[in-house]
Amino acid sequence: MSDTYDFRAELLAVIPNLRAFAMSLVGAADKADDLVQETLVRAWDKRSSFTPGTNLKGWLFTILRNEFYSQMRKRKREVSDPEGAMAEKLSSHPEQVGRLDMEDFKKAVNQLPEDQREALILVGASGFSYEEAAEICDCAVGTIKSRVSRARTQLATILKLEGDGEFGPDAVAVGVMNLTSPNAA
């Protein structure tokens, strides 16, 4: 416990120096305080890697400098949009329909016989090959193929799907994709 207390006391003693260094880097008190706070959090998390008796001040200044550079690199990738003009151009597909479709799908899958549901989930959702699924289920590959086929047919019936047009993005999603596509006119 005393090691933690000593580290804490030494850490607190260096804060004014850290703040002065941070101010010299960022020039604004609030940003300097944020930088110091992030430095202290990182130092506390990594205190087990600090060797007592070595230069704590140097170690903390290194953490602060690295954090400053990380934030600067991050800011280079950020786009300034104070008026919200860029944000207005962004669009996303409404989630409500997709969520409802997923709920319907879950209910339909739960109505399948257990052997068909298991085969469909192994092959369709988990990405196993028919051979791997057959090994997991301890049955023939043809049996797995048959179960998956029957499960897909049963799902289409339960969900009242009639043709290929029933699968994939709906008209709203296609419209959004066309608007956001780089090839759109």
Side-chain angles (χ1 to χ4, degrees), residues 139-182:
C139 65
V141 173
T143 303
I144 289 294
K145 288 181 179 182
S146 175
R147 289 175 182 173
V148 170
S149 176
R150 283 183 281 146
R152 288 177 176 156
T153 301
Q154 186 66 22
L155 276 179
T157 302
I158 294 169
L159 295 170
K160 299 178 177 84
L161 302 175
E162 296 175 6
D164 290 344
E166 299 268 353
F167 300 99
D170 61 11
V172 174
V174 170
V176 169
M177 289 187 290
N178 287 337
L179 286 174
T180 59
S181 171

